[in-house]
Amino acid sequence: MNTQKPSKIERIHQELKAAFATPYGLIKQEARFLHNIVDDDEHIKAVIYGLYGENGQSIQTSNSGMLVATDKRLIFIDRKPMFSDVDEFGYGSILGINTNIAAIFAAVELHTAKKEYHFRNVNKKCARHFEKYIESRVIEGKKDDKAPEVAAYISKIRQPESTPISDEAVDFLRSHDVAVLSTMDKEGEINAATVYYMVDRDNRIY
């Protein structure tokens, strides 16, 4: 029995559905334009869409766009009749991602070396899946690029005494490598930053 290979448009449609795109998301102009941008050997892994603003600009109701994460790159699209705003960048340019889940929708902030993208009215499932995929790619890149450098740096650090912690805490720490570091300034203002960490065999955290 012969099975016909799906067309590029059908494949993109299926991959968007697998990334939790809703029927509304699938009919957006950005989604229908993707086959013009995505390569034949490129696959969509995650997507968000909604109202957006760039580089801290206020989100206007007329600005509706989409961020697509593929196995090769990130693609931003704002598609309107007779107009297309398309930008692409690699995972190495990502500085951080923040996701706030509300009752109905989510808000996503993606920080890159070139721009900051602020999306709201984002489907919650899409947002969670997008954040998880972005973090996995960033962590993967950090490990590949920085592992020897980090190991060499740690070897020069004066080692502190090991602190006893429970087995449950050790298991949790070793199953993650992203944390939030919070600090307080002289005025009592609290700041938080997402950081990568590692735990050595003596349960010291770097």
Side-chain angles (χ1 to χ4, degrees):
M1 182 178 178
N2 293 328
T3 56
Q4 187 176 3
K5 185 179 180 181
S7 68
K8 185 177 181 181
I9 293 176
E10 291 171 335
R11 174 178 65 82
I12 289 173
H13 185 89
Q14 292 169 2
E15 290 175 350
L16 287 172
K17 287 180 67 177
F20 303 104
T22 63
Y24 165 74
L26 295 172
I27 65 171
K28 283 179 66 65
Q29 293 190 59
E30 290 83 7
R32 290 184 287 168
F33 187 69
L34 271 173
H35 68 279
N36 296 297
I37 305 171
V38 174
D39 296 333
D40 291 339
D41 61 344
E42 186 175 17
H43 297 279
I44 295 168
K45 299 296 184 179
V47 63
I48 59 170
Y49 47 88
L51 305 179
Y52 77 91
E54 297 178 13
N55 293 335
Q57 297 174 4
S58 61
I59 299 174
Q60 304 294 331
T61 55
S62 60
N63 288 344
S64 177
M66 178 177 284
L67 270 172
V68 180
T70 77
D71 55 353
K72 294 183 177 182
R73 55 183 170 158
L74 271 160
I75 306 170
F76 166 79
I77 313 170
D78 182 353
R79 172 71 173 170
K80 293 179 175 64
M82 307 298 294
F83 167 81
S84 297
D85 183 8
V86 179
D87 197 6
E88 60 177 270
F89 42 96
Y91 291 100
S93 67
I94 296 175
L95 304 177
I97 182 170
N98 298 313
T99 301
N100 294 312
I101 305 295
I104 300 176
F105 294 110
V108 179
E109 296 180 355
L110 182 69
H111 309 281
T112 77
K114 290 172 58 179
K115 292 183 179 180
E116 293 187 359
Y117 296 95
H118 301 261
F119 274 75
R120 67 179 175 88
N121 289 12
V122 178
N123 176 273
K124 292 191 292 185
K125 286 186 177 181
C126 286
R128 291 191 185 98
H129 183 69
F130 186 84
E131 180 183 43
K132 185 176 180 181
Y133 183 76
I134 294 299
E135 288 180 344
S136 70
R137 291 300 302 263
V138 171
I139 292 169
E140 179 183 316
K142 295 291 185 183
K143 286 179 178 177
D144 292 342
D145 297 339
K146 300 297 184 182
E149 198 176 304
V150 170
Y153 177 74
I154 289 175
S155 67
K156 299 177 182 179
I157 299 175
R158 181 179 178 182
Q159 303 297 333
E161 293 296 324
S162 177
T163 302
I165 55 178
S166 68
D167 292 339
E168 291 82 2
V170 172
D171 291 341
F172 178 84
L173 289 169
R174 293 190 185 281
S175 63
H176 298 77
D177 45 23
V178 179
V180 176
L181 177 65
S182 296
T183 58
M184 181 181 293
D185 61 22
K186 294 180 180 179
E187 286 72 36
E189 293 291 328
I190 297 176
N191 297 295
T194 303
V195 297
Y196 296 98
Y197 72 89
M198 63 177 293
V199 183
D200 70 10
R201 70 185 67 183
D202 296 316
N203 300 334
R204 288 183 286 247
I205 302 173
Y206 300 92

